Every structure is written in C-alpha cells, then in structure tokens.
Amino acid sequence: MAEKKVSLWKRLRFKFRITVVNDTMYEEVLRFRVSLLRIIVGLGVLAMLLVLITSYLIAFTSIREWIPGYPDKNFRTEMLSTSLRLDSIQNELDKRDDFIRSLQIMIGGGEYGQEPNDTLVNENTALSSVKYDTIMLQITEEELAFRTEIENEERFSLGLGMKPANKEYYHFYSPVTGYVVSQFNEKEKHYGIDVVTKKDAPVMAVLDGVVVFTDWTINTGHVVAIQHANNLMTIYKHNSNLLCKQGDYVRAGQVIANVGDTGKETSGPHLHFELWRAGNPLNPEDFIQFK
C-alpha cells in the first residue's frame, strides 16, 4: 500500500519527544515535546533579540570604539575642526591670490585694475557669488564726473588721507643715485622712471615698509615690491639679485637689491622705479632727487 505524501506544514508541526536520561541510574531526568516549527520560531526570536541588543550596545555605549574602522568621538571632533581650519585657509588663499593678481598687473606694466583679456562677468554669476541684502544702485553720470574730477585733483597729493601731524615726518630716500633716462609717462603706460647707474650699485628702500613681492619676471627680471604706510607702494625692477624676501620688514635706506640688467625690457644696467598710491601711479621725480 503506497504511503501518503505529507505536506511541509504538517511536517513542521510534527511533535518530537526529547528525553534526558541519567546514564548511571537510567532515570529519566528531563522530558519535553517540541516541533520543528517551534524551533525555527524560537531561533528567529533569539536572533532578533541578539541584533537589537548588539545595535543598542554599539549606538549608546563606548563598545563601538572597539570596532575596527569605526571613528571615535575625538576623531569626529578633529575632523570638524580640520574642516573649519581648511575653510579659513581657503578664504585666506583666495584673498592672497587676489592681492598677488593685482600686484602682478601693476608690476607687469599693464593697466592697473584691468587684467589682459578681461571680460565682463556674467550677471547671473555675479549675483550668485555675492549675497547681500542691499540694493546695488547704479552710479549716475553726474556722480561719476564728480568722482573723476576729485580723483584727478588729488591723485598726486601724498597728503591725501594722511593726518596733518604726519606730513612733516614724511621723507623719501633716493633708491639709487644716477641719471633719469626715461621719464614717467602715464599715457604711454610707462608708470615709472628708468635711472641709469653703475651695475651692482645698491638699491635702497625709500621708506619703511613690508616686502610683499619678490620674484623673477620675464620682462622685468628680478622685482621687489614694498608696501608702505598710507597706501603707498614702491616697485624696483631689473635688479641683478635680491637681498630681501617676501614678508621682510625693511627700513628706509636699507639695501634690498643690486642694480642689474635682467629681463627682456632692458638695454643696460639701470633701475626701473615706480611709486604708487591707492592704486594710482605717481611720478617719482616729483618727490625724490636722483642726482
């Protein structure tokens, strides 16, 4: 007679008797009935409890710090602090790049305030990069004409923005002694003067200040730029070698370089000297005697 096929559900519900017997006395110690279904359910509940307990211990206790690769509290704090420092450094680097870009335009003899191949910034880009809660008003033609007139009148005045008590203290040292062979001409974009003197003659700072630029350029050779008080800046080009570095504080009359003949835009040993104030070029001969 053929056996009947039993379904899987019924097999899971089959009862099994488990008996524990004392091997010495042959006495029954423990007996209980169980089915495969109950075993599976029990193991599932036990697994869930283990998962919940493990998750709790990892989330709310210090055990998680023992797990390889899991960051501890100090590590996360250091990461946040490092991120903030990097953001601050990036802001300072952006400011430095803007300053160096403006300085390079000035040193390269280009028109200050306008880079070569400079194009108008897209209006949407400008608005997205500047987020102010103020209205950007356009300057009227009358106001622009008035500003131009005032700037033209005051641009060559070294006393502009200076306190009266400081005027008599203002004194320029001559950077070199020699003959001016090429004079200041703003229309031809020659923003300084060329002074012929002996090769390797000392080049001196005209005022106290901080060296903000020392580098080699193709056209002007070794260049030094010094930032002085009252928005004054002096630039010394075509030097044979430099005796200072960026960040140095120099005194008036201190030797900062030697006269040379470096760069493409030169035809002999001389110093190209520029004097700037608030972004405007000044004629050095109006303030300094070179002979």
Side-chain angles (χ1 to χ4, degrees):
M1 199 172 167
E3 295 182 358
K4 294 182 179 180
K5 292 184 179 180
V6 181
S7 63
L8 179 61
W9 177 250
K10 288 184 178 181
R11 289 182 181 179
L12 293 176
R13 296 184 63 184
F14 282 163
K15 301 293 182 179
F16 296 91
R17 178 181 297 175
I18 299 176
T19 303
V20 179
V21 179
N22 189 325
D23 188 55
T24 303
M25 306 295 296
Y26 297 101
E27 180 182 359
E28 185 176 320
V29 178
L30 181 65
R31 180 178 59 182
F32 55 91
R33 299 175 64 192
V34 69
S35 64
L36 290 176
L37 181 60
R38 288 183 180 181
I39 293 175
I40 294 174
V41 172
L43 292 176
V45 172
L46 181 61
M48 291 181 63
L49 288 175
L50 289 176
V51 170
L52 292 175
I53 293 173
T54 303
S55 300
Y56 177 83
L57 293 176
I58 293 175
F60 299 103
T61 66
S62 59
I63 295 180
R64 63 178 180 272
E65 298 180 3
W66 295 89
I67 300 176
Y70 194 93
D72 58 5
K73 181 179 180 181
N74 295 331
F75 180 76
R76 292 195 297 270
T77 303
E78 291 177 0
M79 286 184 61
L80 179 60
S81 177
T82 303
S83 177
L84 294 175
R85 287 199 297 269
L86 286 175
D87 186 62
S88 301
I89 293 173
Q90 184 62 47
N91 291 334
E92 293 299 325
L93 288 176
D94 292 340
K95 294 178 182 178
R96 186 206 63 179
D97 292 341
D98 292 339
F99 175 75
I100 292 177
R101 190 178 301 111
S102 301
L103 191 61
Q104 287 175 340
I105 296 171
M106 185 189 304
I107 293 173
E111 186 172 352
Y112 185 70
Q114 181 177 3
E115 298 186 25
N117 301 325
D118 192 16
T119 57
L120 293 176
V121 180
N122 184 275
E123 183 178 358
N124 295 331
T125 305
L127 291 177
S128 62
S129 61
V130 182
K131 299 180 180 179
Y132 298 113
D133 292 334
T134 57
I135 300 176
M136 305 297 291
L137 299 177
Q138 297 293 332
I139 301 176
T140 62
E141 295 182 1
E142 292 79 5
E143 182 180 359
L144 182 59
F146 177 74
R147 289 185 180 182
T148 304
E149 181 180 355
I150 296 298
E151 289 175 357
N152 290 335
E153 291 178 358
E154 299 293 342
R155 67 184 303 175
F156 297 107
S157 175
L158 287 176
L160 180 63
M162 294 172 54
K163 297 181 180 179
N166 290 337
K167 287 185 178 179
E168 45 186 53
Y169 179 74
Y170 223 70
H171 175 72
F172 288 97
Y173 276 79
S174 176
V176 293
T177 300
Y179 295 94
V180 177
V181 295
S182 181
Q183 297 179 332
F184 176 86
N185 192 329
E186 187 174 4
K187 292 182 179 179
E188 295 181 1
K189 297 184 178 180
H190 189 257
Y191 298 121
I193 60 172
D194 294 333
V195 185
V196 173
T197 185
K198 295 181 179 180
K199 182 177 175 57
D200 294 327
V203 179
M204 294 174 287
V206 299
L207 289 171
D208 295 351
V210 177
V211 179
V212 295
F213 183 85
T214 55
D215 207 344
W216 165 273
T217 64
I218 296 177
N219 293 329
T220 56
H222 291 292
V223 179
V224 179
I226 302 177
Q227 179 70 56
H228 310 283
N230 299 311
N231 285 329
L232 281 171
M233 176 175 285
T234 53
I235 301 175
Y236 314 77
K237 301 180 179 180
H238 303 299
N239 302 289
S240 61
N241 64 301
L242 304 179
L243 304 177
C244 60
K245 61 181 183 298
Q246 184 175 340
D248 287 350
Y249 181 82
V250 295
R251 296 286 187 180
Q254 179 178 336
V255 178
I256 58 174
N258 294 108
V259 174
D261 187 23
T262 57
K264 291 183 177 180
E265 299 176 357
T266 181
S267 58
H270 74 282
L271 171 68
H272 178 88
F273 176 74
E274 297 180 7
L275 176 63
W276 294 73
R277 189 184 189 288
N280 295 311
L282 305 177
N283 186 357
E285 290 187 279
D286 292 341
F287 312 100
I288 304 173
Q289 293 290 334
F290 291 91
K291 294 183 181 180

